[in-house]
Amino acid sequence: MTAPIIQIQDLGLAFDGFTALDGVSLDVMAGQCIVVCGPSGSGKSTLLRCVNGLERFQRGDVVVDGTSVRDCRDLPRLRRGIGMVFQHFELYPHMTVLENVTLAPIKAKGLSKAEAERVALHYLDQVGIADQAGKHPGRLSGGQQQRAAIARALALEPKVMLFDEPTSALDPEMISEVLRVMLDLARSGMTMLVVTHEMGFAREVADRIVFMDRGSIVETAGTAQFFSASQTERAREFLHKVLAKI
Amino acid sequence: MDWHVIQANLPLLLRGLGTSLQLAAVAVLLSFPLGCLLAIGRLSRRAWLSLTCGGFVNLMRSNPLVLVLFWFYFLVPIITGRAVSDLGSIVIAFVIFFSVYFAEIVRSGIQSVGSRQVQAGLSTGLTYPQTMRHIVMPQAIRAMLPALTTQCIVVFQGTTVAYIVGYDELLHTASMAAERTGRPVELYVAVAVMYFLVCTAGSLLARNLERKS
Amino acid sequence: MNYQFNWAMLITEPYFGWIADGVLTTLHLALIAWCIAFVLGVAVGSCRVSGSAVLRLFGGAYVELFRNIPLLVQLFLWLYVAPQLLPADTRLWWNRLDSVPYWTAVIGISFYTSSRIAEQIRAAMNAIPQGQFRAALSTGLTPVQMYRHVILPYAIRIMLPAITSEFLTVFKNTALALTIGVLEITATTRKIEAWSFKGIEAYTVASLTYLATTVAVIGVMTWLERRLYIPGLIRRGG
């Protein structure tokens, strides 16, 4: 059996006396889609940020594709191999969509402008907004902006994609267009670690579901088992609340 | 370096500092009310009033303080037809010059409160002046306190301009002493330290106010 | 009021030549000082928001020092005190320069203004959402690339109105250079007044110079703001 592409080992992180992560361990195999859920403040987003070294942790380690994040001397190189999608898109407002997508391939990867634009248009086409490439993000709808942000991450041709509540800031009618893109991506074999409350998405594509609360993993289960027979009271309670909202 | 010269001139310099502080205080106390009037005039719905006040503010703001001071130094005796004391011309120039900066602070303070608060006040049956007095102004003043404090520091720093017409504030006192003793290095460093201490104290106060609001 | 106007004298020599020189001096003094101040201000402002505690301390001290001493006093420090700190032969070279007052004014106004620009850089950086920093890093940009391509261009657009008013402030501040013997427009009109006793005419020229520059600068900056305006993010005007 091959080694997991992401190995999270006993991760611990505290700021100002508040424990954000407390001994989190998780393995993600190449090609898997893992959904992380849990109440707000449970440390899900912090966990994602630890994976690409945006957050410095005090205990444990994350190993991504054989590279230890703790000992990593070249974080930009590590991050090029990991795409990340944010809750609030975080497109650069002063650049066009195309410039947003090509910036890192040109500056961080050293692609020529023409090559970067070719790659960018390919991924913009994949997420269905190639026709918006010349516009500024402020001119797009929320759903289009998030799809552009996904294209920006994909343009680096990463091995792993991290999604941090990608649909939480969207109007309801725009959620499905983003989920559709994510669904296709998961089916194409991309390794994905997704923080989301979209249980429909989880049920459809997740290989495993991780339930977090107060900085630790409370339960990890196969998707079918998680929905039909959660082992813990806290997970059942959470599921009940989330599903009741829909 | 001869630091005794500072010690010997310290009482003189402190008196100069006192004069600078007094000049700044008078300028602030007179220009702030004038600035409030200008701000209210600028926000008025009467076009002629708002245009006049706006034009005056922009005209004043585009000129340097030195030039305004020269204008009044030259004009006041001609207009009044008699000699006016140096201090009189300086105070008039300072008050008129700085009032437009206060006007801008007050105007943005009032605008920061927003029209919905005014509508809320009017909807409960208050008159427009009552709404301004009880609802808008208390919020506006809190919002503009840090900017007002910073402006007071600007006024204090601006009092050095009175040096140019030979008024005996701190900088002029120091330059006279420098000439008399032949030790400009020590004396200018000393006044720089004095200005620095007063202004730093002021900006710490402004930062504190900002944190509170 | 008892005053004889004589506007025609303004276009006679020597006054006209003086005025032309004065206007030009004001313009290039302000431009040179502003360019230096902008570069220094961006550097110091970046220090103030950097991750290094040493750089932040340096940036903070720099800003406090240059902001809390009146410009006029700083000009005196540069003119009388700073040359004393130079090695003897450098000082000799400096004192022999033709235009010591002019370059003293350039240095003094640049440093003073840079502290104010640094503060605006800091405020603008703090106004940029944290997510922008994370997003840039997450795509593998180095911190330097992040500042160069994402954060600074964003910050400068946020700062544009403040930069405009700072530029106008530099213009007005050049008038203080008259105290150390630079014949810019205010000093020139003062000289004309002393020469001819025609204060109103002379000062009108100076005031119109400042007014015209203000109008021109605001015009250019409005055009620039419109060009750099970020669609859907920053509303113009107001």
Side-chain angles (χ1 to χ4, degrees):
Chain A
M1 192 178 153
T2 52
I5 192 160
I6 305 177
Q7 290 172 281
I8 300 171
Q9 301 155 346
D10 190 32
L11 207 58
L13 167 69
F15 14 64
D16 304 329
F18 170 75
T19 308
L21 291 176
D22 187 11
V24 173
S25 298
L26 180 68
D27 285 351
V28 183
M29 308 302 292
Q32 274 191 327
C33 175
I34 309 272
V35 164
V36 182
C37 61
S40 60
S42 59
K44 308 166 300 225
S45 300
T46 314
L47 179 67
L48 281 198
R49 289 203 293 272
C50 287
V51 173
N52 66 355
L54 283 177
E55 203 85 68
R56 301 308 279 168
F57 38 86
Q58 287 116 19
R59 188 154 58 83
D61 198 0
V62 181
V63 179
V64 183
D65 201 18
T67 309
S68 152
V69 175
R70 151 154 300 193
D71 304 327
C72 186
R73 294 254 150 267
D74 189 359
L75 278 173
R77 204 185 124 88
L78 172 87
R79 288 172 182 147
R80 287 207 296 274
I82 308 172
M84 186 163 192
V85 176
F86 299 83
Q87 182 178 356
H88 295 286
F89 331 136
E90 306 303 350
L91 292 169
Y92 314 128
H94 55 290
M95 300 179 185
T96 63
V97 168
L98 188 65
E99 286 165 345
N100 262 278
V101 181
T102 54
L103 178 68
I106 293 172
K107 299 297 170 191
K109 242 177 142 179
L111 259 53
S112 73
K113 190 162 177 265
E115 178 66 5
E117 287 185 353
R118 199 188 57 74
V119 174
L121 284 170
H122 167 74
Y123 285 106
L124 284 172
D125 187 47
Q126 183 178 327
V127 301
I129 52 165
D131 54 330
Q132 312 285 335
K135 292 190 184 169
H136 279 80
R139 290 270 180 263
L140 305 189
S141 73
Q144 290 173 323
Q145 288 190 48
Q146 191 60 300
R147 286 189 279 152
I150 294 175
R152 178 174 70 182
L154 288 176
L156 289 156
E157 313 200 305
K159 294 206 170 85
V160 175
M161 286 284 287
L162 308 174
F163 290 87
D164 187 4
E165 305 208 28
T167 56
S168 308
L170 292 175
D171 290 334
E173 73 270 22
M174 292 171 184
I175 291 177
S176 64
E177 64 185 64
V178 172
L179 289 181
R180 165 63 46 198
V181 168
M182 291 169 62
L183 212 78
D184 291 344
L185 200 57
R187 293 207 170 120
S188 74
M190 175 60 81
T191 310
M192 292 166 58
L193 194 53
V194 184
V195 171
T196 186
H197 289 171
E198 294 296 329
M199 288 302 130
F201 171 80
R203 204 195 294 258
E204 192 84 9
V205 290
D207 294 291
R208 251 185 321 149
I209 306 229
V210 172
F211 176 72
M212 287 184 70
D213 195 10
R214 289 176 220 150
S216 17
I217 293 181
V218 177
E219 183 172 346
T220 312
T223 307
Q225 190 197 354
F226 184 78
F227 283 103
S228 57
S230 316
Q231 298 299 301
T232 56
E233 179 59 34
R234 270 191 276 175
R236 274 198 296 275
E237 201 178 300
F238 173 77
L239 260 183
H240 191 73
K241 273 189 205 149
V242 171
L243 293 177
K245 256 196 298 195
I246 307 166
Chain B
M1 291 277 171
D2 173 16
W3 300 107
H4 289 295
V5 74
I6 295 176
Q7 209 179 346
N9 285 287
L10 196 59
L12 203 65
L13 293 181
L14 285 176
R15 208 176 316 139
L17 179 63
T19 310
S20 287
L21 285 168
Q22 278 172 13
L23 181 56
V26 170
V28 167
L29 288 177
L30 294 178
S31 56
F32 180 63
L34 186 57
C36 287
L37 291 180
L38 279 170
I40 292 171
R42 236 192 137 171
L43 292 171
S44 163
R45 255 180 249 140
R46 291 183 191 90
W48 63 268
L49 184 59
S50 127
L51 284 177
T52 311
C53 290
F56 179 72
V57 166
N58 284 329
L59 181 71
M60 260 315 151
R61 281 211 311 169
S62 67
N63 276 277
L65 175 56
V66 199
L67 183 58
V68 174
L69 188 57
F70 287 166
W71 264 114
F72 281 95
Y73 230 72
F74 188 80
L75 275 186
V76 171
I78 293 181
I79 293 171
T80 57
R82 59 195 167 95
V84 178
S85 70
D86 284 359
L87 184 59
S89 297
I90 292 171
V91 168
I92 292 174
F94 274 37
V95 167
I96 292 190
F97 180 80
F98 284 116
S99 67
V100 303
Y101 290 87
F102 280 112
E104 286 299 274
I105 294 174
V106 173
R107 181 173 71 111
S108 71
I110 291 175
Q111 283 176 330
S112 77
V113 178
S115 56
R116 270 172 301 177
Q117 286 286 309
V118 178
Q119 286 160 12
L122 294 176
S123 76
T124 57
L126 296 180
T127 65
Y128 187 75
Q130 282 174 328
T131 308
M132 285 305 269
R133 158 93 184 69
H134 296 285
I135 293 166
V136 176
M137 279 321 255
Q139 297 182 59
I141 286 185
R142 210 160 303 148
M144 63 202 186
L145 259 184
L148 287 178
T149 317
T150 308
Q151 188 58 36
C152 290
I153 302 172
V154 174
V155 174
F156 175 65
Q157 293 198 359
T159 58
T160 52
V161 169
Y163 156 90
I164 294 169
V165 290
Y167 183 68
D168 249 341
E169 44 69 69
L170 177 52
L171 184 57
H172 193 256
T173 309
S175 83
M176 297 302 274
E179 213 161 283
R180 202 182 57 242
T181 58
R183 316 279 337 173
V185 173
E186 291 83 349
L187 283 158
Y188 286 131
V189 169
V191 290
V193 170
M194 291 167 89
Y195 279 112
F196 179 78
L197 291 178
V198 174
C199 296
T200 307
S203 55
L204 284 178
L205 179 68
R207 214 167 307 155
N208 247 329
L209 291 169
E210 203 153 357
R211 210 165 298 144
K212 261 184 227 161
S213 63
Chain C
M1 189 161 142
N2 183 15
Y3 187 88
Q4 295 292 316
F5 284 98
N6 179 8
W7 295 99
M9 76 164 210
L10 292 173
I11 50 166
T12 61
E13 290 302 336
Y15 303 129
F16 188 74
W18 290 357
I19 290 169
D21 280 348
V23 171
L24 283 177
T25 306
T26 293
L27 288 175
H28 55 68
L29 177 57
L31 274 171
I32 297 175
W34 192 84
C35 291
I36 299 175
F38 186 73
V39 174
L40 282 174
V42 169
V44 174
S46 305
C47 286
R48 294 213 71 184
V49 292
S50 84
S52 146
V54 178
L55 284 182
R56 277 204 307 273
L57 195 71
F58 162 77
Y62 181 101
V63 168
E64 293 304 326
L65 184 66
F66 287 106
R67 192 172 59 166
N68 284 328
I69 298 175
L71 175 57
L72 202 44
V73 178
Q74 288 189 37
L75 289 177
F76 282 23
L77 291 179
W78 289 111
L79 190 68
Y80 295 111
V81 181
Q84 305 298 321
L85 305 174
L86 294 171
D89 42 346
T90 321
R91 184 163 70 226
L92 216 61
W93 165 81
W94 171 254
N95 284 339
R96 281 201 193 128
L97 283 184
D98 282 340
S99 41
V100 168
Y102 180 82
W103 290 109
T104 303
V106 167
I107 296 171
I109 295 172
S110 300
F111 275 92
Y112 179 77
T113 310
S114 69
S115 70
R116 301 164 54 109
I117 292 180
E119 272 309 87
Q120 272 148 10
I121 292 266
R122 186 174 71 108
M125 299 263 197
N126 287 339
I128 295 174
Q130 275 300 309
Q132 290 280 309
F133 292 81
R134 290 196 182 126
L137 289 176
S138 83
T139 57
L141 296 183
T142 63
V144 172
Q145 288 174 328
M146 170 185 77
Y147 277 107
R148 161 80 183 73
H149 297 289
V150 178
I151 304 302
L152 272 177
Y154 193 162
I156 284 175
R157 283 165 171 82
I158 296 181
M159 284 174 57
L160 220 49
I163 290 182
T164 311
S165 78
E166 209 50 58
F167 191 63
L168 295 172
T169 307
V170 173
F171 248 97
K172 290 179 276 173
N173 280 341
T174 56
L176 289 181
L178 70 87
T179 54
I180 57 172
V182 179
L183 270 178
E184 41 64 70
I185 188 62
T186 303
T188 303
T189 52
R190 172 82 154 161
K191 190 167 132 194
I192 295 175
E193 188 247 309
W195 206 274
S196 65
F197 298 106
K198 295 292 174 204
I200 294 179
E201 292 88 334
Y203 294 141
T204 301
V205 170
S207 280
L208 283 179
T209 304
Y210 291 109
L211 198 63
T213 340
T214 304
V215 171
V217 168
I218 289 178
V220 169
M221 290 314 243
T222 312
W223 170 80
L224 200 64
E225 253 174 79
R226 206 169 295 156
R227 276 209 51 186
L228 293 179
Y229 145 80
I230 303 173
L233 184 80
I234 297 172
R235 263 171 292 133
R236 265 184 294 123

